[in-house]
């Protein structure tokens, strides 16, 4: 039962990584740095650090701002997509309570969800801006709101 919930959480973090690549690790690190267990500190020292959590939060904030620029490359461009895949894989693996074989599977789930989400939200953003004529900034803010709501929900699932 717990593994099934963890699988959905790993997929959720992958979706979040596809929406905003730095938001997924920022939410995860914030939650993990609150009350890290000794085992968690050994397994994920970076994601349980308060300093890392704060820095990831700043990077996520910068991404939220930078996303609205017309000069920002498409999320489906290979370098950008690669970052989203890595973010989804890392956060997907990190939600596994089991420390051995399950991590790879959870990483793959997170990576796959990040790929799918990148393309889905790329299409969503294009629909809003090109078909419905919503200004890019407003469309980005809609997506930001969805990403923040999802991140909040996912961190509650970790408690």
């Amino acid at each position: 039962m717990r593994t099934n919930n963890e699988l959905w959480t790993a997929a959720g973090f992958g979706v979040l990584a596809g929406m905003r690549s730095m938001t997924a690790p920022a939410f995860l690190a914030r939650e993990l740095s609150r009350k890290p267990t000794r085992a968690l500190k050994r397994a994920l020292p970076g994601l349980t650090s308060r300093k890392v959590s704060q820095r990831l939060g700043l990077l996520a904030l910068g991404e939220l701002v930078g996303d609205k620029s017309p000069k920002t490359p498409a999320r489906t461009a290979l370098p950008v997509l690669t970052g989203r895949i890595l973010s989804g894989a890392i956060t997907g693996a990190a939600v596994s309570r089991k420390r051995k074989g399950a991590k790879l599977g959870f990483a793959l789930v997170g990576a796959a969800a990040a790929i799918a989400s990148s393309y889905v939200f790329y299409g969503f953003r294009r629909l809003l801006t090109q078909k419905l004529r919503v200004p890019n900034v407003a469309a980005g803010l809609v997506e930001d709101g969805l990403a923040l709501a999802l991140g909040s929900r996912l961190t509650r699932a970790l408690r």
Side-chain angles (χ1 to χ4, degrees), residues 13 23 36 63 76 120 130 136 157:
F13 273 105
T23 302
E63 183 182 32
T76 56
V120 166
Q130 293 179 359
N136 185 48

Side-chain angles (χ1 to χ4, degrees), residues 29-154:
R30 183 169 184 267
E31 186 60 32
L32 294 180
S33 70
R34 286 183 169 183
K35 293 182 185 175
T37 63
R38 187 170 283 170
L40 196 56
K41 282 183 180 180
R42 278 193 305 261
L44 300 166
L47 289 177
T48 59
S49 162
R50 287 192 190 269
K51 285 184 180 182
V52 169
S53 173
Q54 291 169 349
R55 289 181 180 136
L56 285 171
L58 288 173
L59 288 171
L61 183 61
E63 183 182 32
L64 293 176
V65 172
D67 173 69
K68 313 310 176 284
S69 170
K71 294 181 181 180
T72 301
R75 71 186 77 210
T76 56
L78 188 58
V80 179
L81 184 60
T82 301
R84 292 171 191 271
I85 293 168
L86 289 173
S87 178
I90 290 166
T91 56
V95 302
S96 173
R97 302 261 190 238
K98 296 179 182 174
R99 295 291 165 223
K100 294 197 178 179
K103 289 185 134 327
L104 178 60
F106 281 73
L108 292 173
V109 166
I115 293 168
S117 173
S118 293
Y119 282 96
V120 166
F121 282 96
Y122 177 75
F124 175 69
R125 186 80 167 263
R126 286 180 56 111
L127 171 75
L128 288 177
T129 58
Q130 293 179 359
K131 301 284 186 199
L132 301 177
R133 303 281 187 224
V134 174
N136 185 48
V137 172
L141 290 172
V142 168
E143 191 176 356
D144 291 345
L146 292 172
L148 295 174
L150 177 59
S152 177
R153 174 66 182 98
L154 290 169

